[in-house]
Amino acid sequence: MIRSTRRSSAPVSNTGSDPVTAAVSSDLLSRYGGNLPRYTSYPTAAQFTGDIGPADADAWLRAVPSGTALSLYLHVPFCDALCLFCGCNTAVMRNPDGRAAYGALLIDELSRVAERLGPGRPVSHVQWGGGTPTTLPPGTLRQVMQTIRRLFRVEASAEIAIELDPRYLPDEYPALLGALGFNRVSLGVQDLDPEVQRACGRIQSHAQTADCIRRVRDAGIGSVNIDLIYGLSHQTEQGVGDTAASVAALRPDRLAVFGYAHVPWKQKRQAMLPADALPGPADRLAQRARIDTVLRRAGYRAIGLDHYARPADRMALAAEAGTLRRNFQGYTVDPASVLIGVGASAISAFGPGLTQNATTTAAYARLLADPARILPVVRGVRRTAQDRLRADVIEALMCDLRADLADIARRHAAPDDCFADAAPALGQLAADGFVTLDGPVIRVTEAGRPFLRTVAALFDAYRAPADVTRHAAAI
């Protein structure tokens, strides 16, 4: 990922305040309620094409300067059960041998990556996502982690994280994760209301979540993140507030609060959700505001668009220092400038461009079976100088809620008026109270925080018209 040298602190509100985020008129909701990317990269995945392939990934890997810290992301596309709201690349895999075979593919790809990088490259972050990574047999996870430590030099301060499903966490897994050096876990909760759980096909009790947290804490894993979702079928403002309060009482270190992305044209399983029970934009915004109020009152600080952290957590400290990052895993404290995705559908980010592996497990395995030992890349995008310029602005806004356009243009040797096309819309956002403008410096207000993607989109040269259903709704 392109990295700005940002030293300005993001605006962090008083944890006891209740920012006005719900009282937005229907006119504003209509004006800013189009479909937008989540801006976990720029250019976004919507610009990926098949013009980028294994040869590009090969060249970009070989060009990574020696000593550059790397971030590794490993994708496991299996779950024990599918949640209807999920937009991830995952499927149910019952066969333990099939799960173990997938682990062997991860090891194969890791070895190919290391061949191109050279031995002993430093790694500052390891993230396991999915799907549910703990669907891998314990011995398989151990083998992959041992391979990572053999092929790379995992730094002592590295964050090693994994996503868990409290409903299906094998008994032996917490101790295994502790022994393998994992120091952060992320648990899906989404919502605790029984009616919402039945509608989205995820039945999970508060007791299951509490027990999972106890088990990983007992295993020595110090940092726990919990995921919540608003905007699901049958959710209400009162219900999401109750869930947030119940979860906050478990004292996780961080929370991610995502707006449900309804994209049934991409994920067919979402068509099974009762669409007539999905809340509209005004209700979604009210739900978001209720969660925000509950978590701030519980002592959490708002981070970027949709994260919360305890004041002493590394994410809160990074937000205050202006060193927060954003990549395909969302907000992160990871300082690495190169992200290498391993596994089916995994995305990698290099300075020159972005790549994505084959999305299905079968296609991924076929590419790894090639005797030429190619990388399993099927698409991507090459970054231009203009892309790098705009990526810096978008990341600054998404992470810091602030961007100094003149400073960013100067660092890219771009003309002073390179962002003139955004001026009229910025003026309207300022009039609506969502940003303040101090010459070339944009600051997003607390009222504008829920509309952060809308602000970032002003600097997206590829953005589609608001009525194009390429992305999920911005609100």
Side-chain angles (χ1 to χ4, degrees), residues 67-70 121-125 149 152-160 183 334-335:
T68 300
L70 310 173
R121 289 298 188 105
V123 168
S124 61
H125 187 94
R149 293 188 181 277
F152 303 93
R153 178 170 56 82
V154 179
E155 296 176 346
S157 61
E159 185 175 80
I160 305 177
N183 47 35
D334 175 28

Side-chain angles (χ1 to χ4, degrees), residues 33-231:
N35 300 299
L36 293 173
R38 292 191 180 273
Y39 293 114
T40 53
S41 75
Y42 187 81
T44 70
Q47 277 68 58
F48 288 11
T49 73
D51 293 338
I52 299 296
D56 300 286
D58 187 294
W60 294 344
L61 273 171
R62 294 182 188 278
V64 174
S66 61
T68 300
L70 310 173
S71 180
L72 297 179
Y73 171 73
L74 297 100
H75 187 79
V76 178
F78 308 136
C79 284
D80 292 287
L82 294 182
C83 304
L84 299 183
F85 58 79
C86 182
C88 299
N89 174 40
T90 186
V92 174
M93 165 68 77
R94 302 290 186 198
N95 185 349
D97 291 341
R99 297 178 181 189
Y102 183 79
L105 295 176
L106 294 178
I107 290 172
D108 189 0
E109 187 183 359
L110 283 165
S111 68
R112 297 184 192 199
V113 167
E115 287 170 6
R116 289 155 172 85
L117 286 169
R121 289 298 188 105
V123 168
S124 61
H125 187 94
V126 179
Q127 173 75 44
W128 285 80
T132 307
T134 54
T135 56
L136 294 182
T140 299
L141 184 83
R142 182 185 296 276
Q143 289 172 352
V144 178
M145 287 300 301
Q146 289 173 339
T147 299
I148 290 172
R149 293 188 181 277
R150 175 173 56 83
L151 296 176
F152 303 93
R153 178 170 56 82
V154 179
E155 296 176 346
S157 61
E159 185 175 80
I160 305 177
I162 191 167
E163 296 177 4
L164 307 178
D165 184 339
R167 302 170 301 165
Y168 300 103
L169 183 62
D171 291 341
E172 65 270 41
Y173 245 98
L176 173 65
L177 296 177
L180 293 177
F182 284 84
N183 47 35
R184 187 169 70 84
V185 298
S186 183
L187 318 178
V189 173
Q190 323 316 344
D191 193 285
L192 292 173
D193 182 273
E195 184 179 18
V196 176
Q197 291 188 352
R198 285 192 296 270
C200 67
R202 184 186 178 100
I203 309 300
Q204 178 178 326
S205 69
H206 181 274
Q208 284 176 309
T209 303
D211 183 63
C212 181
I213 292 175
R214 178 192 60 77
R215 291 166 64 195
V216 297
R217 296 278 199 204
D218 288 348
I221 297 171
S223 181
V224 173
N225 175 83
I226 286 181
D227 290 346
L228 301 179
I229 293 181
Y230 63 89

Side-chain angles (χ1 to χ4, degrees), residues 158-473:
E159 185 175 80
I160 305 177
I162 191 167
E163 296 177 4
L164 307 178
D165 184 339
R167 302 170 301 165
Y168 300 103
L169 183 62
D171 291 341
E172 65 270 41
Y173 245 98
L176 173 65
L177 296 177
L180 293 177
F182 284 84
N183 47 35
R184 187 169 70 84
V185 298
S186 183
L187 318 178
V189 173
Q190 323 316 344
D191 193 285
L192 292 173
D193 182 273
E195 184 179 18
V196 176
Q197 291 188 352
R198 285 192 296 270
C200 67
R202 184 186 178 100
I203 309 300
Q204 178 178 326
S205 69
H206 181 274
Q208 284 176 309
T209 303
D211 183 63
C212 181
I213 292 175
R214 178 192 60 77
R215 291 166 64 195
V216 297
R217 296 278 199 204
D218 288 348
I221 297 171
S223 181
V224 173
N225 175 83
I226 286 181
D227 290 346
L228 301 179
I229 293 181
Y230 63 89
L232 289 170
S233 297
H234 299 298
Q235 278 185 314
T236 65
E237 185 179 346
Q238 180 66 46
V240 298
D242 291 345
T243 289
S246 294
V247 166
L250 297 175
R251 300 189 61 79
D253 303 274
R254 304 175 191 172
L255 297 103
V257 181
F258 301 119
Y260 167 58
H262 191 58
V263 288
W265 58 91
K266 290 183 179 179
Q267 282 292 352
K268 302 301 183 186
R269 67 178 74 109
Q270 292 186 349
M272 298 174 65
L273 282 168
D276 58 350
L278 289 170
D283 289 333
R284 284 172 62 99
L285 196 61
Q287 290 174 14
R288 183 195 186 281
R290 176 61 67 88
I291 297 172
D292 181 84
T293 297
V294 169
L295 295 182
R296 288 177 190 251
R297 286 178 175 173
Y300 291 92
R301 294 187 181 272
I303 308 293
L305 174 66
D306 49 22
H307 278 50
Y308 294 82
R310 294 200 170 279
D313 184 82
R314 290 177 63 193
M315 183 166 283
L317 298 176
E320 290 180 355
T323 59
L324 188 67
R325 300 291 310 284
R326 188 163 174 83
N327 62 24
F328 292 106
Q329 285 77 65
Y331 288 108
T332 179
V333 300
D334 175 28
S337 59
V338 175
L339 167 65
I340 298 174
V342 179
S345 80
I347 295 175
S348 298
F350 306 93
L354 311 167
T355 64
Q356 184 173 25
N357 286 351
T359 56
T360 69
T361 304
Y364 173 68
R366 283 195 299 271
L367 288 174
L368 288 175
D370 189 304
R373 290 185 61 77
I374 63 171
L375 296 164
V377 168
V378 295
R379 66 182 194 136
V381 64
R382 191 180 303 275
R383 282 189 175 118
T384 67
Q386 185 69 200
D387 293 337
R388 290 189 285 272
L389 168 70
R390 291 178 178 267
D392 272 9
V393 177
I394 290 171
E395 187 180 34
L397 288 168
M398 295 297 295
C399 291
D400 298 342
L401 280 72
R402 180 191 183 278
D404 185 333
L405 302 184
D407 179 63
I408 293 173
R410 185 164 49 250
R411 286 189 280 106
H412 286 265
D416 293 340
D417 62 350
C418 60
F419 301 118
D421 58 327
L426 280 173
Q428 183 63 62
L429 282 164
D432 292 332
F434 293 161
V435 302
T436 62
L437 304 175
D438 181 9
V441 179
I442 307 167
R443 290 183 175 85
V444 180
T445 66
E446 277 301 325
R449 191 188 289 265
F451 299 87
L452 192 49
R453 290 159 63 198
T454 300
V455 183
L458 299 184
F459 301 92
D460 181 354
Y462 304 101
R463 68 182 182 274
D467 60 347
V468 173
T469 55
R470 177 184 295 172
H471 306 287

